[in-house]
């Protein structure tokens, strides 16, 4: 290839949502291929509020694969990145950009290097499934760059090798990760159950208790649980298969009462299994427990449940309200129990869909301070000022998309280096 033709850079930018499991994945039967010991079901969240944006670029001028995450260069030497890159390269096809005179043959991809820049619009490694959105976006964008002719189901098996729950972020709405039975993992894929419009009255409020990185990573936590917990096998073999069937039916029928019962029970059992691990793993903290207490008291005071709660491997609460009215009443309660510090700007304390604040007539901090105690509380309730970093109001979301607006690219079109 002549030197003057080596200066081109070909780029693709994609955006992929995160997801929250309502029936949890915890424990692997194969560490390398990331094969789960049970099926799981998740809800994809609106990428407007929780997503990873990834730009991938290829150029004959690149001399090695490189990646930048949230502005910092990270190593691609880890097995998970290498697995994803290898699997996508093996499926690459011919690529041609006639306008720019660029032609890449299938065999060329083995010798060409890529640059990857990725950005999360939410805390990384804090228990909000950042790795799920990250690896799903990596695989989806590389597949588009390399013209991989496979559907999202096949791609989900590759994303799974980066992060198990990443396979579920390749679809919108409610998604099931089928654990599969094959040793090579070929049948361990994500399948869509219903799209984001099926149950679009749901509103999700995430209470970000702590945006620090967690002490025990999900990877090491799962390994320790599988090795030491007496409960995990019973959960995987006896409990989860029944819950999966019941949850699928609840989602199809939009049966919120059953959905709430299953979601809360499965979250609590997942954390019970973590406590049954040796040494015990504590992902939730006192604030997490206070949020559960608040939701449980309110649900029990109503004729039918208003909110489901679920916690992944971290202290942050993902609260799923049955509709917008319930979401407004939930936010009112959360702001009463967990008011911001006086100097906090309300616009940075409640982010995402802020219009829910208007539903309860809250415009500033003074309105928060004037909130009455929830009716289900007989005695004046203690408040826990400053225990929540912020709230994210969101909804069920769509799957990954390509971003055609070049201004949203994270890499320079000429150099392929971060902007």
């Amino acid at each position: 290839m002549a030197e003057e033709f080596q200066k081109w850079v070909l780029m693709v930018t994609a955006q992929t949502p995160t997801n929250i499991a309502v029936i949890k994945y915890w424990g692997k039967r194969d560490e390398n291929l990331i094969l789960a010991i049970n099926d799981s079901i998740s809800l994809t969240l609106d990428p407007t509020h929780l997503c990873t944006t990834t730009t991938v670029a290829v150029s004959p001028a690149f001399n090695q694969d490189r990646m930048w995450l949230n502005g910092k260069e990270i190593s691609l030497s880890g097995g998970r990145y290498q697995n994803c890159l290898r699997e996508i390269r093996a499926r690459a096809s011919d690529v041609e950009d006639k306008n720019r005179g660029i032609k890449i043959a299938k065999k060329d991809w083995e010798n060409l290097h890529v640059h990857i820049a990725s950005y999360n619009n939410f805390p990384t490694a804090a228990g909000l499934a950042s790795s799920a959105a990250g690896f799903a976006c990596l695989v989806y964008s590389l597949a588009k760059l390399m013209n991989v002719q496979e559907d999202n189901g096949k791609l989900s098996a590759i994303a799974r090798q980066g992060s198990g729950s990443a396979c579920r972020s390749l679809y919108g709405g409610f998604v099931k990760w089928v654990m599969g039975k094959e040793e090579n993992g070929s049948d361990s894929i994500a399948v869509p159950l219903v799209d984001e419009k099926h149950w679009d009255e749901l509103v999700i409020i995430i209470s970000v208790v702590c945006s620090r990185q967690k002490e025990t990573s999900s990877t090491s936590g799962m390994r320790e649980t599988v090795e030491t917990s007496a409960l995990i096998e019973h959960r995987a073999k006896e409990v989860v298969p029944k819950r999966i069937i019941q949850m699928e039916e609840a989602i199809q029928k939009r049966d919120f009462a059953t959905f709430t019962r299953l979601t809360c029970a499965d979250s609590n059992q997942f954390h019970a299994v973590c406590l049954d691990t040796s040494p015990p793993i504590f992902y939730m903290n006192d604030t997490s427990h206070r949020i559960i207490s608040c939701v449980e008291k309110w649900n029990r005071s109503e004729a039918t449940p208003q909110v489901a709660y679920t916690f992944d491997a971290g202290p942050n609460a993902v609260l799923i309200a049955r509709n917008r009215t319930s979401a407004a009443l939930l936010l009112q309660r959360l702001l009463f129990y967990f008011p911001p510090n006086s100097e906090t700007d309300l616009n940075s304390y409640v982010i995402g869909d802020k219009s829910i604040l208007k539903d309860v007539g809250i415009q500033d901090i003074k309105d928060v301070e004037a909130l009455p105690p929830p009716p289900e509380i007989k005695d004046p309730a203690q408040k826990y000022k400053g225990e929540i970093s912020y709230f994210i109001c969101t909804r069920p979301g769509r799957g990954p998309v390509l971003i055609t607006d070049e201004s949203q690219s994270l890499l320079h079109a000429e150099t392929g280096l971060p902007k």
Side-chain angles (χ1 to χ4, degrees):
M1 212 179 269
E3 194 169 327
E4 63 266 25
F5 293 113
Q6 293 209 9
K7 293 186 178 165
W8 57 261
V9 176
L10 198 62
M11 294 197 310
V12 165
T13 300
Q15 194 183 68
T16 303
T18 188
N19 69 77
I20 183 73
V22 291
I23 301 291
K24 303 295 187 189
Y25 144 58
W26 195 251
K28 304 182 186 78
R29 64 182 195 275
D30 186 307
E31 288 272 344
N32 185 45
L33 291 173
I34 309 188
L35 301 177
I37 60 171
N38 60 261
D39 293 349
S40 56
I41 293 176
S42 65
L43 174 59
T44 301
L45 304 180
D46 187 346
T48 309
H49 310 128
L50 291 133
C51 76
T52 296
T53 302
T54 299
T55 299
V56 292
V58 63
S59 171
F62 299 164
N63 56 18
Q64 62 176 331
D65 293 335
R66 297 176 74 185
M67 180 169 180
W68 295 265
L69 176 60
N70 295 333
K72 291 181 182 173
E73 186 160 11
I74 64 167
S75 170
L76 281 170
S77 61
R80 295 183 171 203
Y81 287 110
Q82 289 302 313
N83 286 349
C84 291
L85 283 163
R86 185 189 66 249
E87 294 286 341
I88 291 290
R89 277 190 172 114
R91 292 163 172 77
S93 301
D94 295 352
V95 172
E96 187 173 8
D97 184 337
K98 288 181 180 174
N99 294 333
R100 297 171 63 195
I102 299 169
K103 196 166 186 178
I104 305 171
K106 178 179 171 64
K107 61 178 175 24
D108 293 338
W109 286 108
E110 290 177 29
N111 303 312
L112 286 167
H113 294 287
V114 292
H115 284 185
I116 304 156
S118 202
Y119 173 77
N120 295 324
N121 68 351
F122 59 98
T124 302
L128 284 174
S130 58
S131 64
F135 276 103
C137 205
L138 174 74
V139 167
Y140 183 82
S141 55
L142 284 172
K144 295 299 180 188
L145 178 73
M146 298 186 190
N147 193 22
V148 173
Q149 302 293 310
E150 293 195 348
D151 62 21
N152 282 4
K154 296 261 180 68
L155 291 181
S156 75
I158 302 172
R160 186 204 73 232
Q161 294 178 55
S163 171
S165 49
C167 69
R168 300 187 308 240
S169 274
L170 285 164
Y171 295 102
F174 282 95
V175 184
K176 179 180 178 180
W177 173 11
V178 181
M179 63 180 277
K181 294 189 172 73
E182 299 296 331
E183 283 188 23
N184 66 1
S186 58
D187 59 346
S188 183
I189 60 169
V191 293
L193 295 177
V194 295
D195 68 17
E196 66 275 16
K197 297 188 181 98
H198 172 79
W199 206 350
D200 61 358
E201 62 262 41
L202 297 177
V203 178
I204 299 108
I205 298 179
I206 300 170
S207 303
V208 180
V209 174
C210 171
S211 57
R212 289 197 309 268
Q213 218 166 316
K214 55 202 179 199
E215 285 178 30
T216 308
S217 74
S218 300
T219 303
S220 59
M222 283 189 208
R223 190 181 305 121
E224 288 165 11
T225 298
V226 169
E227 287 172 359
T228 66
S229 169
L231 295 181
I232 189 69
E233 189 177 356
H234 173 72
R235 167 176 162 73
K237 288 190 174 174
E238 303 297 331
V239 181
V240 173
K242 291 172 188 156
R243 278 187 185 156
I244 289 281
I245 294 166
Q246 293 169 338
M247 181 61 86
E248 285 192 58
E249 188 178 343
I251 290 165
Q252 291 292 346
K253 292 181 176 177
R254 296 192 286 271
D255 174 357
F256 192 77
T258 303
F259 173 81
T260 298
R261 176 176 60 78
L262 293 168
T263 299
C264 298
D266 205 71
S267 175
N268 291 335
Q269 189 181 70
F270 153 53
H271 288 277
V273 164
C274 290
L275 286 174
D276 189 51
T277 301
S278 180
I281 305 167
F282 304 94
Y283 284 124
M284 294 199 291
N285 60 19
D286 288 347
T287 307
S288 314
H289 298 146
R290 287 175 187 130
I291 293 170
I292 290 175
S293 177
C294 162
V295 171
E296 287 283 2
K297 282 175 184 168
W298 184 29
N299 278 344
R300 286 168 194 278
S301 74
E302 297 283 343
T304 184
Q306 302 301 302
V307 182
Y309 59 79
T310 187
F311 294 76
D312 268 0
N316 306 311
V318 178
L319 306 169
I320 305 168
R322 66 184 302 130
N323 54 35
R324 194 176 171 91
T325 304
S326 297
L329 292 169
L330 170 64
L331 187 58
Q332 198 172 31
R333 282 165 168 78
L334 292 169
L335 290 170
F336 173 82
Y337 285 115
F338 306 100
N341 291 316
S342 305
E343 66 277 8
T344 304
D345 175 16
L346 193 61
N347 279 327
S348 62
Y349 196 60
V350 179
I351 63 175
D353 181 5
K354 297 178 196 292
S355 63
I356 296 173
L357 282 170
K358 292 177 186 167
D359 294 357
V360 286
I362 293 172
Q363 294 181 332
D364 54 35
I365 297 294
K366 287 179 186 170
D367 295 329
V368 174
E369 290 166 353
L371 283 170
E376 66 268 16
I377 300 300
K378 305 289 187 289
D379 304 312
Q382 187 176 348
K383 296 190 179 188
Y384 305 97
K385 185 178 274 195
E387 288 198 6
I388 301 286
S389 298
Y390 56 93
F391 297 103
I392 306 169
C393 300
T394 187
R395 63 184 76 83
R398 56 163 169 74
V401 292
L402 286 175
I403 305 290
T404 52
D405 179 359
E406 288 186 13
S407 68
Q408 292 191 50
S409 166
L410 303 176
L411 296 171
H412 280 289
E414 296 79 28
T415 64
L417 292 170
K419 288 183 176 177

